[in-house]
Amino acid sequence: MPIPRLYQITFYTRFGPMGFVHEADPFLLRRVYLPRLDLTALAEAMTAEWGLLREEFHTDDSAQRIRSSILGYFAGKALILPWDRMAREGLTALQWRTLEIVADIPAGEVRSYGEIARQIGRPKAARFVGSVMASNPFPLLIPCHRVVRQDRTVGGFGGGPELKKRLLDFEGADYSSK
């Protein structure tokens, strides 16, 4: 089986540069990277995980739709999820189901890890939910920043607690900033 050619797309948002890695022909989204302080930090994170990547502006409609959807989010529009174009390997059915449930949390709302655990039918699996959020390959598209602790404090986040707070504030979410 041939090794897929991976590409990166980077762009600027109001929260800093962010991007994603994907395959082409056919398009498959591999990973979304949250906004970083600068483009160098973003490039280093992508290279550390994937090695050297090609950066090209594709005429591929899927890549451009994802980029446009993310930029639209920062303009106050709803994200459009490319479910059929998102890589699922390495994720169990329960992990994927957890991500699907989190994707349904509306902007401006939060749910606790325990609430998500109950929704997946595993009421004592709050830590499992936390580990799924920590390894979410599609942050922002699947809004793991909307999952908080039981006491409504922010908890962990791949982009750090300050970015999580900024995203929740941007959305007008009610959470505890303790």
Side-chain angles (χ1 to χ4, degrees):
M1 181 174 208
I3 297 172
R5 291 178 64 168
L6 298 174
Y7 298 88
Q8 69 181 21
I9 297 210
T10 58
F11 48 93
Y12 286 89
T13 72
R14 68 188 299 161
F15 284 52
M18 67 177 293
F20 56 88
V21 172
H22 69 90
E23 292 179 28
D25 304 319
F27 181 89
L28 186 63
L29 182 62
R30 287 289 181 180
R31 177 98 160 78
V32 173
Y33 289 83
L34 290 165
R36 306 289 169 131
L37 294 176
D38 60 53
L39 194 55
T40 302
L42 176 62
E44 287 172 356
M46 292 173 138
T47 302
E49 188 169 356
W50 300 96
L52 293 176
L53 298 164
R54 298 175 182 272
E55 181 160 11
E56 297 178 8
F57 285 98
H58 290 272
T59 55
D60 185 291
D61 289 341
S62 296
Q64 294 310 319
R65 277 194 300 271
I66 292 168
R67 180 180 173 274
S68 293
S69 182
I70 292 170
L71 290 172
Y73 164 81
F74 287 107
K77 298 179 182 171
L79 285 161
I80 299 167
L81 294 176
W83 289 112
D84 61 331
R85 303 285 188 190
M86 297 165 85
R88 296 182 187 197
E89 70 249 5
L91 295 169
T92 67
L94 188 58
Q95 288 170 322
W96 189 252
R97 178 69 186 129
T98 303
L99 293 174
E100 288 176 323
I101 288 170
V102 169
D104 287 339
I105 302 171
E109 294 184 21
V110 295
R111 302 286 185 278
S112 73
Y113 297 100
E115 288 172 297
I116 301 298
R118 286 188 289 284
Q119 283 188 270
I120 64 171
R122 306 280 175 101
K124 296 183 180 188
R127 286 183 188 264
F128 167 80
V129 171
S131 71
V132 173
M133 296 304 94
S135 61
N136 174 11
F138 311 111
L140 202 62
L141 291 179
I142 297 179
C144 51
H145 64 279
R146 295 178 190 152
V147 182
V148 297
R149 293 179 176 152
Q150 190 67 34
D151 65 0
R152 295 305 200 231
T153 56
V154 294
F157 187 59
E162 289 309 312
L163 178 58
K164 188 171 185 173
K165 288 177 186 177
R166 287 180 64 205
L167 289 168
L168 292 172
D169 289 343
F170 170 70
E171 294 179 0
D174 184 21
Y175 69 96
S176 176
S177 59
K178 291 180 199 173

